[in-house]
Amino acid sequence: MFGRTLRNLRCDMMEKVNQILSEFQLKKEELKEIMKRMQQEIERGLRVETHEEASVKMLPTYVCSTPEGSEVGDFLALDLGGTNIRVMLVIVGEDEESKWRVETKNQMYSIPEDAMTGTAEMLFDYVAECMSDFLDKHHIKHKKLPLGFTFSFPVRHEDIDKGILINWTKGFKASGAEGNNIVGLLRDAIKRRGDFEMDVVAMVNDTVATMISCYYEDRSCEVGMIVGTGCNACFMEEMRTVELVEGEEGHMCVNTEWGAFGDNGELEDFRLEYDRVVDETSINPGHQLYEKLISGKYMGELVRLVLLKLVNEDLLFNGEASELLKTRGSFETRYVSQVESDTGDRKQIYNILSSLGVLPSEMDCDIVRLVCESVSTRAAHMCGAGLAGVINRMRARRSLEALKITVGVDGSVYKLHPCFSDRFHKIVWDLTPHCEITFIQSEEGSGRGAALISAVACKMASCMK
Ligand code: GLC
């Protein structure tokens, strides 16, 4: 008798939990609606008359339908845009079958909080310091190498090696950078040090670098996407629709900056109470609303807020949360991956929760897993709807019966979460009939891509001489 009551109580609780989590499920019709709205914003971003007010900025990158041939030799690649700065030495060459062969040496440097949120000078001085250290370590300080710079923020380009930062995203806030030429800031910092010289030949977004690095393996790669700290995509667009740049012939890669989708209210009917809290407590409230539903910078925090909601409803941890769990940012995004990687014995989940100061029952562990699954599945589906929008639009614009295309992808969420990529691929395929989409993971794409495009830029510069 008692056992049955307990079981009933559990069923009751699970029902309530499932009801709360059901808000994260998106029906196919809803995903199609999101896809449609994304396509509308893409159009608005491309058009001169609507560009200013569009949330999806569709920024021209000056990376054009790749001309064959490039310089060979040593290039330096610098990557700034996530939690680390990465410096790389890339040796670009051709092998016997005249295929690209790219060798790399690289080093990561973590970015101190004060460099991220101090002044632009402080940030770029730190970047130059990392480069100097790297050159020392590899005994190449005397060489003036060409540099490819991957800068993963929204940049309004004037050329491939010149562009102003529109606004910071992903927790960066260094003052005096927005509205300024980023390559100029980097050159100034290198000059201030005075212990090495560098020839900055190209600046690209990480999505663009990813697409380029994958293009060298698969010539059908015309889309690049990142799902990491941030979330964004780029793709090759016909020149004549890129109204912000003159010229009609060929294609130019456009950085969508789709992370800002929703900033004009396009996602209001999909955003939940947790999304609103994440946004309100972020460094850039009201901005990057689509990214905040998806990317690694926010995923763990979303999970934490849902857990607190369940605690408040008396459905988890006996209605009591630890101080740590009540602290913003304590549930890291990597825990979401770890929870969902648990093999079924709940050990991993138990360990994470105890490190957060709670002693969970088996049922608590199962609920936490359900929360992680709900949040990360919604992220995969939301992101999938965006990409399906991009690809369906490409097929329609090219008036193709069927489109065969490859997408180069990078980013910690995509690569490290155990199920994100599968769920994401499935939904994209489902939403893109008449398209044959292949996904390839880029290996060190940010650096390699920047170096490869620099090699092309060098070749073009020397041709024009
Ligand atoms: C943010 C940035 C964007 C970048 C993305 C992935 O959305 O604004 O430029 O590509 O993060 O790093």
Side-chain angles (χ1 to χ4, degrees):
M1 178 69 193
F2 182 69
R4 244 187 61 202
T5 330
L6 195 64
R7 213 173 312 133
N8 285 351
L9 199 69
R10 280 196 176 155
C11 281
D12 232 34
M13 272 171 80
M14 277 319 265
E15 207 170 292
K16 285 187 185 148
V17 169
N18 282 326
Q19 201 189 332
I20 288 175
L21 296 182
S22 68
E23 286 189 317
F24 283 90
Q25 279 164 24
L26 294 163
K27 296 192 193 70
K28 192 162 175 189
E29 283 317 305
E30 293 175 309
L31 291 169
K32 281 188 174 165
E33 177 59 28
I34 294 164
M35 178 173 99
K36 203 178 87 202
R37 292 186 200 172
M38 175 68 87
Q39 290 174 329
Q40 279 163 358
E41 277 311 292
I42 288 179
E43 280 321 318
R44 277 158 48 77
L46 285 167
R47 294 253 147 76
V48 170
E49 324 84 82
T50 42
H51 173 81
E52 212 42 59
E53 73 226 25
S55 61
V56 178
K57 284 293 177 219
M58 304 299 290
L59 301 168
T61 63
Y62 291 81
V63 170
C64 297
S65 358
T66 351
E68 289 302 319
S70 79
E71 295 288 327
V72 292
D74 291 358
F75 291 83
L76 207 70
L78 169 69
D79 184 358
L80 173 66
T83 43
N84 298 302
I85 291 174
R86 203 206 298 241
V87 189
M88 253 183 182
L89 176 66
V90 182
I91 305 160
V92 179
E94 280 176 87
D95 62 18
E96 305 82 57
E97 295 139 29
S98 92
K99 271 188 151 183
W100 289 103
R101 193 169 50 92
V102 183
E103 295 172 14
T104 53
K105 294 186 176 120
N106 74 81
Q107 184 156 351
M108 295 243 264
Y109 300 86
S110 65
I111 310 176
E113 182 73 25
D114 57 341
M116 264 163 87
T117 54
T119 65
E121 257 186 37
M122 280 160 72
L123 176 63
F124 282 94
D125 279 343
Y126 180 68
V127 171
E129 188 185 320
C130 297
M131 291 172 75
S132 170
D133 175 76
F134 182 86
L135 297 173
D136 273 336
K137 286 210 172 110
H138 293 90
H139 314 290
I140 44 174
K141 214 166 195 171
H142 57 284
K143 288 189 181 172
K144 184 178 179 184
L145 293 173
L147 173 79
F149 181 18
T150 305
F151 182 70
S152 313
F153 299 96
V155 166
R156 191 174 300 290
H157 277 266
E158 261 176 49
D159 208 334
I160 194 164
D161 64 347
K162 189 166 185 204
I164 61 155
L165 171 64
I166 301 178
N167 54 264
W168 287 116
T169 53
K170 298 178 286 193
F172 278 69
K173 203 84 197 176
S175 61
E178 290 178 349
N180 283 317
N181 175 16
I182 292 301
V183 174
L185 292 176
L186 177 63
R187 285 191 183 125
D188 290 349
I190 295 174
K191 237 184 249 156
R192 272 198 296 279
R193 284 191 70 84
D195 61 342
F196 66 93
E197 285 190 304
M198 200 57 39
D199 188 10
V200 190
V201 292
M203 172 169 64
V204 287
N205 189 259
D206 51 356
T207 55
V208 182
T210 299
M211 183 192 77
I212 294 166
S213 77
C214 292
Y215 175 83
Y216 279 88
E217 271 146 57
D218 177 342
R219 298 289 154 139
S220 310
C221 183
E222 290 189 87
V223 182
M225 190 185 78
I226 303 281
V227 196
T229 310
C231 178
N232 189 18
C234 71
F235 63 94
M236 295 306 289
E237 175 68 13
E238 281 139 62
M239 261 312 265
R240 62 190 154 84
T241 35
V242 187
E243 291 188 3
L244 265 58
V245 180
E246 282 187 24
E248 301 282 301
E249 292 303 304
H251 291 78
M252 183 183 274
C253 178
V254 177
N255 168 14
T256 65
E257 284 296 330
W258 78 15
F261 178 52
D263 292 9
N264 283 342
E266 309 92 320
L267 289 168
E268 280 326 287
D269 36 345
F270 298 104
R271 291 174 67 232
L272 305 176
E273 53 180 285
Y274 324 100
D275 302 310
R276 294 180 201 282
V277 176
V278 160
D279 178 47
E280 280 154 20
T281 53
S282 72
I283 204 165
N284 55 350
H287 295 279
Q288 301 294 105
L289 297 184
Y290 182 59
E291 176 164 87
K292 284 173 182 164
L293 304 174
I294 300 169
S295 78
K297 172 106 188 127
Y298 312 99
M299 192 184 280
E301 181 63 5
L302 278 174
V303 166
R304 189 186 72 87
L305 292 168
V306 182
L307 296 182
L308 288 184
K309 160 93 172 184
L310 296 178
V311 169
N312 286 339
E313 300 279 319
D314 238 347
L315 298 168
L316 187 67
F317 308 144
N318 284 324
E320 248 180 82
S322 65
E323 278 313 306
L324 203 52
L325 199 63
K326 286 188 209 152
T327 313
R328 193 164 83 91
S330 60
F331 201 98
E332 296 176 30
T333 296
R334 66 189 167 95
Y335 297 161
V336 182
S337 296
Q338 287 166 7
V339 164
E340 288 185 62
S341 306
D342 188 277
T343 47
D345 61 6
R346 305 183 182 88
K347 252 194 204 139
Q348 207 144 283
I349 309 178
Y350 185 91
N351 288 343
I352 291 168
L353 294 173
S354 14
S355 79
L356 288 169
V358 280
L359 288 178
S361 66
E362 286 194 348
M363 182 148 140
D364 286 334
C365 291
D366 294 346
I367 292 176
V368 170
R369 186 181 185 126
L370 281 178
V371 173
C372 290
E373 283 171 359
S374 304
V375 172
S376 66
T377 304
R378 182 189 65 159
H381 288 178
M382 272 281 173
C383 187
L387 187 71
V390 165
I391 292 179
N392 282 330
R393 184 180 163 283
M394 284 173 110
R395 183 178 80 88
R397 287 210 50 84
R398 296 178 187 187
S399 314
L400 291 172
E401 191 106 334
L403 174 71
K404 195 170 174 325
I405 198 162
T406 298
V407 181
V409 196
D410 206 343
S412 50
V413 172
Y414 185 85
K415 280 184 166 168
L416 303 180
H417 186 284
C419 332
F420 184 93
S421 58
D422 282 346
R423 294 176 192 149
F424 171 77
H425 297 161
K426 228 166 150 205
I427 212 76
V428 175
W429 287 325
D430 202 24
L431 292 169
T432 52
H434 315 294
C435 297
E436 194 186 310
I437 308 172
T438 308
F439 294 94
I440 53 178
Q441 271 194 25
S442 111
E443 295 308 324
E444 317 212 299
S446 268
R448 280 170 8 112
L452 283 166
I453 199 69
S454 304
V456 173
C458 282
K459 175 82 171 183
M460 279 163 58
S462 66
C463 287
M464 282 189 279
K465 270 183 202 152

